[in-house]
Amino acid sequence: MSVRVRRVYEPPESEDGTRVLVDRLWPRGLAKDAARVDEWPKGLTPSTELRRWYHAGEGSYEEFARRYEAELAEPEAAELVDRVRELAAKGTVTLVTASKNLEQGHAAVLARLLQS
């Protein structure tokens, strides 16, 4: 199983496999055909409350990851996680996001969860 994380603004690569947008909103200034997004499961994104809490600097990345994983365990999100796992079992999945910080963002948490 191969799960990658990339910025959606980077040009698609042949190694990307299935490209899954993991942001709730469409990336600003990016044409849909240029993004080459195959799936857009909005239910995989952190809740608005959690996102605001984290970006306000109120908690650590570790606490954000713990809370986000708890959200992903909820039934609706868990179904979407399973769907992306199924895609990854068939080939590479690239989680794409507009976030600048790939190492400490929600896409990194989701990638770790998918690979576990």
Side-chain angles (χ1 to χ4, degrees):
M1 174 183 303
S2 177
V3 178
R4 302 172 54 181
V5 177
R6 297 187 65 218
R7 290 203 70 218
V8 70
Y9 296 108
E10 297 173 4
E13 297 178 348
S14 58
E15 299 85 30
D16 286 349
T18 303
R19 290 172 54 93
V20 179
L21 178 63
V22 293
D23 292 343
R24 188 167 305 273
L25 301 175
W26 188 262
R28 183 174 288 153
L30 185 64
K32 291 192 178 187
D33 59 334
R36 210 195 98 221
V37 168
D38 300 302
E39 305 255 343
W40 188 14
K42 296 176 188 175
L44 283 180
T45 62
S47 66
T48 300
E49 297 79 18
L50 179 58
R51 189 175 37 78
R52 286 181 180 158
W53 172 84
Y54 182 53
H55 291 298
E58 296 179 21
S60 67
Y61 173 70
E62 292 76 19
E63 179 63 16
F64 166 77
R66 187 189 68 71
R67 291 180 183 194
Y68 180 41
E69 287 176 8
E71 289 184 356
L72 291 171
E74 293 294 320
E76 183 180 329
E79 283 183 34
L80 294 171
V81 169
D82 289 342
R83 164 79 179 130
V84 176
R85 270 198 185 112
E86 289 171 9
L87 293 171
K90 296 175 185 173
T92 301
V93 166
T94 300
L95 306 177
V96 292
T97 179
S99 176
K100 292 180 183 177
N101 187 349
L102 298 180
E103 292 79 31
Q104 291 193 331
H106 71 284
V109 175
L110 181 57
R112 280 194 306 273
L113 181 67
L114 289 167
Q115 292 174 327
S116 63

